[in-house]
Structure formats: C-alpha cells, structure tokens
Amino acid sequence: MQKAQQAIMGHKGDKTTDLAQDTKEISAKDRLTTDYGVKQASADDWLKVVGQDKTGPMLLEDPFGRERIHRFDHERIPERVVHARGSGAFGKFRVYESAEDVTFAPVLTDTSRETPVFVRFSTVLGSRGSADTVRDVRGFAVKFYTQEGNWDLVGNDIPVFFIQDAIKFPDVIHAGKPEPHNEVPQAQSAHNNFWDFQFNHTEATHMFMWAMSDRGIPRSYRMMQGFGVNTFTLINAKGERHFVKFIWTPELGVHSLVWDEALKLAGEDPDFHRKDLWEAIENGVYPKWKFGIQVIPEADEHKFDFDILDATKVWPEDLIPTRYIGELELNRNPDEFFTQTEQIAFCTSHVVPGIGFSDDPLLQGRNFSYFDTQLSRLGINWQELPINRPVCPVMNFNRDGAMRHTITKGTVNYWPNRFDACPPASHQEGGYVEYAEKVAGIKARARSDKFKEHFKQAQLFWNSMSPIEKNHIINALSFELDHCEDPVVYGRMVQRLADIDLGLAQTVAEMVGGEAPKQAGRPNHGLRAKALSQFEFPPMKMSIASRRIAILIADGYDPVAFSAAYGAISAGLAIPLVIGTKRSKIVAADGTTSIQPHHHLEGFRSVMVDALFIPGGEKSIATLSKSGRAQHWIREAFGHLKAIGATGEGVDFVHNTIALPRVTVSASGDVHESYGVVTLRQISPSSFTEAVQIAKGAKGFLEKFFYAIAQHRNFDRELDGLHSMVAF
C-alpha cells in the first residue's frame, strides 16, 4: 500500500514516507490501550463501588476513565478566525518549463523534480459548521514540501482583496462576520455591517465586484482558479529581481453554481464541496491545475498607471501575460481530517531561496499575522506536527515549549559554540539571503498616490463581464442589499455603484428600494481586459469526467436505454446516480432486469447533480408523471440551466413538464437538441454507441447529451428568459 501511495505522490513519496512514521491503522488484531500504552479491559464502565443490586459512586482512582474524559474534553483546538471551514488533499507539483531566467528556486526550475504538496480549500467568513456553498471568497492554500524547505503559497480564488494595508484586516473581517449584538448572519455578507464597510472603505470597491460575481459561488473547488493575491519577488542566479504574481487555472475550466442552486445546496447538502473533492479523488479523476506566473522586471515597477504592489489591483493580462510553467495534481485524500486538514498551518512568510517578498503592505502584514495565528491556534511547536514539518533536514537551537516532539542530543544549544556545531549555511550551501534592496523614503503612516485610485479596475472588471455574468452580479447585489434593513446602508451603496456604472446602479436601486442616481458618480472609461470573465476559461478538454448525472426511473423502465447510458457515463469517468421512486429494487420493463437505486426522489435533489437522464418505459413514465417531486426535479434542473436527456416515453414527460413551446423535442428516430434538452423518441439497438466522442455537431444521442453536459450550463435559456418561466 505504501508503494502505491508513493507512486502517486511527488518527489518519490517523501511526504508519504515522512507521515508513515506517525500513521496508524486500526484493525481487529489491535487491542484497546491507554495513551501510555497499557491495555484496557473495558471501555464501557467506569471503576465504581457496585453490588449485585446497587450501583455506588464512581472512583477518581480510575486512570482509564479519567484519561478518556480528559482527552475528550480537550479534543478541540481554537477555530481559525477566518478560513475555518475547509477541505484538503495531497498531491504533487512539477514544472514542465524551467523559470531559471527569473528564479534559481529548484521547485520552479528543476523539470525532473516532483514536489509533494498538501492543498487546503476553504470559505472565509463562516465557522467550521457553516455551509460550503455560501457566497464568499474561497481560500486556495498550497504547502510545497520542497527539498529546500516548505514553501507556503497562501491565496484565494479571487486575485484581489478588500484592503491595501494589513492594519485594516481586523476591520474588514469584523464587518463581514456576524453582527456583534446578535451573532447573525452566519457565513454570508448580506447584512448591514459588511456593506457599510464597503461604502466607507472605497479601496474595497474592486473586490466586492468580484465577490458578487459568479466567482463567489464556485461549482467545485476543482473548478476554481487560485491566486497568490500578493506581489512576491523572484531572484535568479545573476542576482536579478522580478516582481511576480502566482496563478492556478483548473483543467476542468472555471465554473460556478447558479444562485438558487447555491442557496438550496446550503440546506440540502451543506458539505457539497468537500464531498465533491473527496469523491473525484476517490474515483481516480484527479483534479489538475496549470501553474502560471506573471512577471515584471524590477526596472519596470513604475511603468503602469496602478501600483503593482497594491493588492486591490489585478495585473491586466494584455499588459502582463500569464506564463504557464507547471502543473498541480491532487491525487490522495487525507487519512484523518483533524491531524491533516485541520492541523495544517500556512504562513505567507514561508518561502525558499529564489523566492522573496515585495513591499506590498498587505503581504508585509500577512507575514507577521499568519505566524502569530498559528502560535495561538496550535502552540509554539506547530511546525513539528507531522502535516507541517518539512521533508528536508531540520536542525537549529530552538528548544522546549509546549508539546515539543523533537529530542535533540548533545551538550550545546547555542551558536557560536566550541564544537562549531550547526553553523549557519552560506549562500552556496543553500542559505536564504535576502535581496539587497535599496530603500529610501520618510517614516509615515501614508500611501503612495497610485494607491489612492480605487475605481478604474472595478469599472474594468464590470466592462469585461459577459451579459450573463453582468446579470448575475446585478442579482447578487440585489439579494445582498435586500438583506440590509438600514436605508442608509443600501441607499449609499446604490450611489457607490454609480461610481462603477450608471446602468448597474439604477437597476440595483430599483430592486432594493434605494434612490436611483441621475448621473454617474464618475465616467466609465469603457476599457475591457482579458482573463477576467469566467467564460474565457473553458475546459481544456471536452469531458464529462467527475460530473454527477442522475438517471430517474420507476418500475417498468427501459433497460436498453438505461444500461447504455449508465455504461457510457461510467466509461466517461462521470458518476451515474440512479434515482428511483423508492430505494428498494426497481424492476425493468422486461420483468427480469432490476437495479437498486442510489437514492430516492425525496432523499436527493437535482441541485446535487450536473445533469438528468430520463429513459423511457411506459409504466415507469406513467408513475413519474404522477409524481410532483419528479416533475420538480426536471423543472429545477431546467431552471438551473443543466443538461437534460430523455428517450422513448421520457421525451413527452420532459416536454410536458417543462411546457414551453420554444423548447422542442424529437419527433422520430432523429436526435434533437433544444436549449440543452436532448431527446430521442424512437430508439433502436444502434441508437447508442459504445465509444462516445464528445464534439460539437455530433449526431448520436449520447454524443449530443454529453456535449451539453461538458458545456456546464445552457446559458441560452437564461439569455432568452426561459429559465424564469418555469416554477422551481
């Protein structure tokens, strides 16, 4: 098993091997013991005074009982203040193009190396018990276990942030967290304090537009971009310095939920994202991201109309293109959530030689804050925990403290010493040497002039959105501000939106009851930029892999269509989920074939899948047609823009349920597609092929259906207003 794990982990399984010494697996051969190793004869009864007919007091002398309760009472560690709810996985990273022109860090230059990683995804505002699908920023933190030490790239799924200077971090988080008088609301920004802060703190304008976009409700962790957010530096072997931003782009494309779907999932499946990540890895559909860098030579730092050290600004791709040089793959789920996913701790200050820091004032504060946070949460020896410790040698004169693991032999614990033991490393030996940056200025609580412009990039983002995305931003702002009871708050925010776009402000004002502005707060410059719209990041390969596809059936279903679809879905590495009118076995129309569904219609809902297929079968469809819940499944999936496939008698069921004249269906043996609804009325043995080639313009039923699924959503339904004509 260990060899198999090493085969999928990077760097010859170094981190897997390292963790193995602390990994135990419980089996029937084991016997229950105390933490100090003594076998326990009972785990059911505390030592007590007892007679045949009377139970007396328990005895404090019972060490087994006291240890069990003591350990239980102290199982919890302080929850993270932000990013409390998370999920993670192990994987590997490699570069396929050396970046030695800008850095000498082997993790970014050695194309023969595979570096083991652990990645933790998270929401920001909610507690550990909150839901996965709330509108929020998502954390995207990567710990690289390099041969030169740990490198922590701690970022988000959005490339900018609400604040420019770290001193404002307590304010933005306090404003976003539940309001202090009643601890409401949990895990969302739709309340007075959050939006009051957004208005009064204009540098947050760009970021709240990103948060209100579809980026705030991703379909999956596996379908998010990741950004380092801050400006770091790279130093090459010549001693030349470049400024850099780090970017992750998923191979599956960048996709999101729709808002109604996100709301329902928060109640129906609050663990949706963490289950999705686990399920994909467990099924061997390993998530992958391309790793990119945006690089600016030190000499060009001041050549832009924005400050490149300002974390509320993007580096537009048309000015500084992304250079993709590597790949990240997640391929192993954790063995235990607490000791790995919960105890992993990141620090932006953890970099390796060849990578450094800029004067980004948000980054400078993060470098202090993250280390301080881990001390509070895990204790002074947090870096000795198995998930956090490096795979390279660690040796220094740090000593003692709570929960110290390392036992250091020898007679000295200081430098210099008479044995010349453990001296500092030279630069040639791999010692980290800070870049000799020349610094000049006055000591003041101030910012440079470029930091004072807060609206141009918010306009750039809005202008770069597709019509669909603009509509979603309008809806998001309308929802959020509708939850603000204070007219001062939503009235002011409507005026702020006029600083971005007058039409946006007027539309939102009408929805939320604010006074509609008569003129723009400032003119919109009309400029657009690449790589801001999610529509510019389609899947790198048309595929249904890892998509969840529900097959709705009742007794009397068509076994031919069912089996063909089920087999093809599985062969495409997607996940077929059979949904029945009951969870007991359901018998096919031939009377001999049967299947036990994964779920029944009331125990599972359409928001938990990516597409629906309804095979024919006269009796099956007659039963489903009488089920309001089955009809709701179809209408809800249609309203959420998902692909729907139907064959045989299922065609009329789907057509009658949607009941929109513009959505047409197959009339014969020809496959028909209309707004992502793919139908085939008359099937034959040749209707389904074993090998399904997903391509635009394909003629077969499964080819057309799978192509519709691979598109993620049918946005034409929304553009033409059809999705809002169906009650769901």
Side-chain angles (χ1 to χ4, degrees):
M1 182 180 290
Q2 186 165 323
K3 287 182 178 179
Q5 288 180 341
Q6 289 179 354
I8 61 173
M9 288 289 287
H11 192 40
K12 298 181 180 179
D14 274 1
K15 193 57 189 176
T16 302
T17 304
D18 175 60
L19 290 172
Q21 60 187 304
D22 292 284
T23 302
K24 301 175 184 178
E25 185 169 354
I26 296 174
S27 75
K29 297 178 181 179
D30 297 307
R31 293 297 176 264
L32 190 68
T33 77
T34 65
D35 279 348
Y36 52 94
V38 174
K39 291 180 180 177
Q40 287 186 240
S42 172
D44 299 315
D45 294 291
W46 195 291
L47 188 64
K48 61 180 74 73
V49 177
V50 62
Q52 189 171 356
D53 57 354
K54 184 178 180 179
T55 298
M58 298 192 303
L59 302 178
L60 280 178
E61 69 183 65
D62 184 357
F64 301 146
R66 282 189 292 118
E67 182 187 88
R68 286 169 66 87
I69 296 300
H70 168 79
R71 291 291 283 109
F72 176 75
D73 288 347
H74 296 272
E75 278 184 358
R76 296 295 175 263
I77 61 176
E79 185 177 280
R80 288 171 167 92
V81 176
V82 289
H83 298 275
R85 181 172 180 82
S87 189
F90 292 96
K92 60 185 178 182
F93 171 78
R94 70 178 184 89
V95 287
Y96 46 71
E97 175 194 317
S98 174
E100 61 187 352
D101 55 319
V102 291
T103 181
F104 63 82
V107 65
L108 298 180
T109 61
D110 186 350
T111 57
S112 68
R113 176 188 291 199
E114 285 189 345
T115 301
V117 300
F118 189 92
V119 178
R120 185 177 185 270
F121 304 102
S122 55
T123 52
V124 175
L125 292 177
S127 67
R128 280 191 64 193
S130 58
D132 280 350
T133 60
V134 296
R135 181 176 295 280
D136 200 353
V137 183
R138 298 305 191 283
F140 195 126
V142 184
K143 186 179 288 289
F144 300 81
Y145 302 98
T146 86
Q147 297 172 45
E148 294 73 39
N150 287 354
W151 172 30
D152 293 350
L153 183 51
V154 194
N156 290 329
D157 71 328
I158 291 175
V160 292
F161 202 59
F162 292 100
I163 55 175
Q164 297 171 325
D165 191 301
I167 201 170
K168 295 301 298 177
F169 197 78
D171 293 317
V172 67
I173 298 304
H174 285 169
K177 286 282 191 176
E179 296 191 7
H181 66 297
N182 62 4
E183 189 66 8
V184 174
Q186 173 63 248
Q188 64 169 307
S189 52
H191 61 102
N192 289 322
N193 284 2
F194 177 82
W195 288 105
D196 185 43
F197 181 87
Q198 302 308 302
F199 175 80
N200 285 295
H201 203 65
T202 57
E203 67 195 56
T205 304
H206 187 200
M207 175 62 170
F208 79 62
M209 290 296 289
W210 279 84
M212 293 302 106
S213 76
D214 289 342
R215 304 273 185 161
I217 46 172
R219 158 62 179 82
S220 166
Y221 293 138
R222 302 174 295 114
M223 300 171 194
M224 298 189 317
Q225 278 189 296
F227 303 90
V229 179
N230 294 116
T231 301
F232 291 85
T233 58
L234 298 175
I235 301 93
N236 64 19
K238 299 177 184 177
E240 299 167 333
R241 187 169 77 145
H242 291 73
F243 295 98
V244 64
K245 281 187 179 283
F246 300 109
I247 298 172
W248 303 103
T249 296
E251 286 193 356
L252 291 172
V254 181
H255 302 300
S256 294
L257 300 168
V258 297
W259 182 231
D260 183 75
E261 184 181 26
L263 289 172
K264 290 173 178 175
L265 276 168
E268 293 173 6
D269 192 1
D271 304 303
F272 182 75
H273 282 154
R274 59 172 58 181
K275 286 163 66 175
D276 169 88
L277 178 66
W278 186 281
E279 182 178 75
I281 294 173
E282 201 75 0
N283 284 295
V285 187
Y286 299 143
K288 293 182 180 180
W289 287 261
K290 292 192 303 179
F291 175 74
I293 54 176
Q294 286 180 289
V295 176
I296 297 174
E298 187 174 26
D300 294 344
E301 176 183 359
H302 302 293
K303 290 185 177 181
F304 305 93
D305 65 354
F306 58 92
D307 196 310
I308 68 168
L309 305 183
D310 181 354
T312 68
K313 304 293 192 298
V314 295
W315 293 2
E317 289 254 358
D318 53 345
L319 301 178
I320 308 105
T322 298
R323 170 185 170 190
Y324 288 101
I325 62 170
E327 179 183 83
L328 167 69
E329 176 187 283
L330 298 183
N331 51 33
R332 186 163 75 85
N333 283 314
D335 296 306
E336 186 182 24
F337 185 90
F338 178 80
T339 52
Q340 295 174 326
T341 305
E342 187 61 24
Q343 285 197 149
I344 195 164
F346 299 90
C347 281
T348 54
S349 57
H350 286 181
V351 295
V352 292
I355 303 172
F357 312 113
S358 74
D359 293 330
D360 175 344
L362 180 62
L363 175 60
Q364 294 288 324
R366 290 180 81 195
N367 285 348
F368 171 84
S369 175
Y370 278 67
F371 195 92
D372 194 48
T373 292
Q374 310 311 349
L375 292 178
S376 173
R377 198 168 68 89
L378 298 171
I380 191 62
N381 285 304
W382 61 272
Q383 295 190 80
E384 291 193 350
L385 292 171
I387 193 63
N388 294 321
R389 68 180 173 223
V391 296
C392 63
V394 174
M395 181 61 71
N396 54 47
F397 297 114
N398 295 335
R399 293 292 187 273
D400 305 343
M403 308 305 287
R404 175 74 167 175
H405 293 61
T406 302
I407 301 168
T408 310
K409 298 166 61 175
T411 60
V412 294
N413 54 3
Y414 54 88
W415 174 262
N417 57 68
R418 62 189 181 278
F419 304 105
D420 289 332
C422 199
S426 67
H427 180 58
Q428 291 73 25
E429 293 173 314
Y432 190 94
V433 178
E434 284 73 16
Y435 178 76
E437 178 188 4
K438 182 179 180 180
V439 179
I442 61 170
K443 183 187 292 186
R445 296 186 183 274
R447 303 178 196 180
S448 63
D449 289 341
K450 288 182 180 178
F451 268 73
K452 299 173 184 176
E453 198 293 305
H454 301 151
F455 300 103
K456 288 181 180 178
Q457 288 211 350
Q459 293 176 340
L460 185 72
F461 179 76
W462 171 255
N463 297 343
S464 302
M465 294 295 98
S466 66
I468 287 289
E469 290 167 305
K470 285 184 176 181
N471 187 49
H472 292 174
I473 291 172
I474 290 170
N475 291 340
L477 287 164
S478 299
F479 176 93
E480 295 271 320
L481 297 179
D482 185 68
H483 282 65
C484 298
E485 299 90 0
D486 191 336
V488 173
V489 174
Y490 60 78
R492 279 178 165 182
M493 275 308 305
V494 166
Q495 302 305 314
R496 172 66 68 242
L497 295 177
D499 290 323
I500 301 170
D501 183 84
L502 181 59
L504 166 66
Q506 291 174 334
T507 304
V508 173
E510 184 176 5
M511 290 299 297
V512 304
E515 183 179 350
K518 301 291 191 297
Q519 59 185 28
R522 63 195 68 236
N524 186 319
H525 51 63
L527 300 176
R528 298 167 57 89
K530 297 188 300 182
L532 300 183
S533 167
Q534 286 191 192
F535 282 68
E536 295 185 48
F537 298 98
M540 296 175 193
K541 177 185 177 183
M542 284 292 106
S543 170
I544 63 168
S546 79
R547 295 289 186 166
R548 309 176 101 205
I549 303 170
I551 306 175
L552 271 57
I553 60 170
D555 284 327
Y557 68 90
D558 176 2
V560 175
F562 174 89
S563 298
Y566 194 99
I569 291 167
S570 300
L573 299 180
I575 300 165
L577 292 169
V578 181
I579 311 297
T581 50
K582 56 189 177 183
R583 205 176 187 182
S584 303
K585 282 188 177 182
I586 292 182
V587 181
D590 60 12
T592 59
T593 308
S594 65
I595 184 83
Q596 182 163 349
H598 297 95
H599 301 279
H600 59 74
L601 288 166
E602 293 293 341
F604 212 69
R605 299 296 167 87
S606 79
V607 292
M608 302 176 197
V609 298
D610 295 287
L612 306 186
F613 172 59
I614 301 91
E618 184 177 356
K619 183 180 176 183
S620 174
I621 297 304
T623 301
L624 293 174
S625 296
K626 295 176 184 177
S627 167
R629 182 61 68 200
Q631 294 176 49
H632 180 261
W633 264 75
I634 293 171
R635 292 190 184 113
E636 187 173 57
F638 184 84
H640 293 160
L641 317 178
K642 297 176 181 178
I644 300 173
T647 58
E649 293 86 350
V651 173
D652 283 336
F653 175 45
V654 168
H655 191 220
N656 295 335
T657 300
I658 296 172
L660 294 176
R662 295 181 64 178
V663 181
T664 54
V665 296
S666 169
S668 61
D670 294 329
V671 179
H672 186 77
E673 187 275 333
S674 176
Y675 289 101
V677 178
V678 182
T679 53
L680 175 60
R681 185 174 296 275
Q682 299 173 7
I683 68 169
S684 64
S686 61
S687 298
F688 304 101
T689 55
E690 291 186 9
V692 179
Q693 300 296 322
I694 302 175
K696 187 176 183 179
K699 295 182 179 180
F701 172 78
L702 290 176
E703 285 83 356
K704 278 187 179 292
F705 182 45
F706 287 5
Y707 181 78
I709 297 170
Q711 297 300 299
H712 181 61
R713 309 272 174 182
N714 187 283
F715 288 107
D716 286 343
R717 286 182 209 162
E718 184 173 339
L719 288 172
D720 291 350
L722 300 182
H723 75 301
S724 61
M725 297 181 185
V726 175
F728 58 91

